Amino acid sequence: MEWMSVDLGNCPLIRALDVVGKQWTIIVLREAFNGVRRFEDFQHHLGLSRSVLSRRLAEMVTDGLLERVPYRPDGERERHEYQPTDKAWALYPVMVGLMQWGDRYLADGDAEPVRLVDRHSGKAVVAALVTDDTATCAPADVGVRPGRSFKTVPAAPSDHGACGDGR
């Protein structure tokens, strides 16, 4: 299969970025994955304005990443907290991969600021590509095959410019 023949109009990566690529979404998810649930706690830890945070939380609820759940502290009015949904937790491996990529290539110190470990064994947790039987594989070993909704685009005419070599 030639990659240039793939119709990108049905690209799941583009659709995913429409949801998680919005400013603050990934950072709010990081907070939620680490136990932050209440508006005031998000605001305090992130330093966002109330309007920006309110808008982002509402969009994340609409996108199905967070669920708005009521709670009532003793003697107080009902409030809401924001809990990650299964759809959000499915992004956790992606977030781990981004974090570890940042640790490797963008770190501002000699070591990572936080480490992820298995709570039972204490062993380091790493993002990895695995087959469906959990064998690891290198990026070079990953191939692209047509899926059920695969579509092709017509081949573009070759335009090699004045040099004739594709530059």
Side-chain angles (χ1 to χ4, degrees):
M1 177 179 82
E2 290 290 324
W3 181 252
M4 294 300 292
S5 69
V6 174
D7 177 6
L8 299 180
N10 189 27
C11 178
L13 188 56
I14 292 171
R15 290 192 311 269
L17 286 174
D18 282 344
V19 174
V20 298
K22 296 173 186 167
Q23 188 174 13
W24 293 107
T25 297
I26 293 289
I27 302 306
V28 170
L29 281 177
R30 176 199 63 195
E31 297 299 301
F33 290 156
N34 285 295
V36 178
R37 299 285 190 266
R38 298 180 179 176
F39 185 94
E40 293 77 16
D41 295 334
F42 281 113
Q43 187 181 26
H44 173 75
H45 201 231
L46 296 175
L48 291 175
S49 71
R50 292 185 70 79
S51 62
V52 168
L53 180 57
S54 181
R55 186 170 48 254
R56 179 57 57 231
L57 290 171
E59 288 176 354
M60 292 175 73
V61 168
T62 299
D63 289 336
L65 297 173
L66 296 175
E67 182 179 5
R68 193 169 179 251
V69 178
Y71 72 95
R72 181 186 304 273
D74 288 339
E76 294 185 29
R77 65 178 174 82
E78 181 178 273
R79 296 174 182 236
H80 292 87
E81 62 182 21
Y82 297 87
Q83 297 179 358
T85 63
D86 290 343
K87 184 177 181 178
W89 281 110
L91 285 166
Y92 190 72
V94 175
M95 305 255 312
V96 170
L98 279 172
M99 183 188 85
Q100 291 172 347
W101 179 85
D103 286 344
R104 182 171 181 180
Y105 294 106
L106 305 172
D108 62 357
D110 292 335
E112 67 278 355
V114 297
R115 292 179 46 243
L116 301 179
V117 295
D118 180 277
R119 291 184 195 274
H120 304 289
S121 70
K123 292 181 179 180
V125 172
V126 297
L129 294 172
V130 296
T131 61
D132 58 8
D133 64 356
T134 68
T136 59
C137 52
D141 295 329
V142 177
V144 178
R145 300 284 187 267
R148 291 191 323 253
S149 63
F150 176 78
K151 295 178 186 172
T152 61
V153 294
S158 180
D159 179 14
H160 295 289
C163 296
D165 62 355
R167 286 187 276 165

